[in-house]
Amino acid sequence: MNRILPIYQITESMQQLLLQEIDSHNREEVIGIFQKKMEERGQLLEAIAPPYTEDEEKLGRTVVEMNKGIEQKMKYLFFALKNEMKQVQQQKKSTTSYSNPYKNVQSIDGMFLDQKK
């Protein structure tokens, strides 16, 4: 029996999960499902040990190639999340400065002299 097949199937389902449209509304759900699949795959990877048959080696190479694609998609997802977080922070900063524009103004003397001539 091929011991790599369940790992291949989980990796394929992870790849399909990342191929779907991921936006801010479903991102958390997708990441949760992805983490569960990663944990499941990790347990399966720990359970297998050499020697491997030729079929298992071929399937293993395929899994490695699929994993490279998954890694790239996860980096892109992380980059998109990071950019969105920066936008939210900038928006918070803009809103705060709009509601209280003199909050960060520092006056050293704090005194006003009115002189009449």
Side-chain angles (χ1 to χ4, degrees):
M1 183 173 161
N2 196 338
R3 300 173 292 169
I4 307 293
L5 189 60
I7 296 169
Y8 174 78
Q9 291 170 342
I10 291 173
T11 305
E12 191 174 38
S13 68
M14 289 167 56
Q15 190 175 37
Q16 292 300 318
L17 184 66
L18 292 176
L19 285 176
Q20 69 182 358
E21 183 75 25
I22 300 173
D23 57 4
S24 61
H25 301 294
N26 69 347
R27 183 185 305 129
E28 189 174 338
E29 179 185 343
V30 169
I31 290 174
I33 294 169
F34 189 82
Q35 283 181 328
K36 287 178 186 175
K37 291 183 184 289
M38 284 283 290
E39 290 171 6
E40 187 179 341
R41 188 176 77 161
Q43 291 172 354
L44 289 173
L45 283 171
E46 289 176 2
I48 63 169
Y52 305 114
T53 64
E54 284 184 34
D55 291 338
E56 289 176 340
E57 283 185 21
K58 287 180 185 177
L59 206 53
R61 287 188 196 105
T62 307
V63 168
V64 169
E65 289 300 316
M66 289 170 67
N67 202 38
K68 288 179 184 177
I70 289 171
E71 214 173 285
Q72 288 178 345
K73 290 174 187 152
M74 285 302 294
K75 283 181 183 178
Y76 174 76
L77 183 63
F78 178 73
F79 181 73
L81 180 62
K82 195 173 176 181
N83 281 340
E84 190 173 320
M85 288 174 65
K86 281 182 183 179
Q87 284 180 332
V88 168
Q89 288 297 97
Q90 184 63 33
Q91 188 175 8
K92 279 184 182 180
K93 192 175 181 181
S94 296
T95 303
T96 304
S97 80
Y98 180 75
S99 64
N100 189 1
Y102 301 111
K103 180 180 180 182
N104 292 328
V105 175
Q106 295 181 0
S107 176
I108 296 174
D109 58 10
M111 187 168 71
F112 178 75
L113 297 175
D114 188 15
Q115 295 178 348
K116 293 185 182 181
K117 291 186 180 183

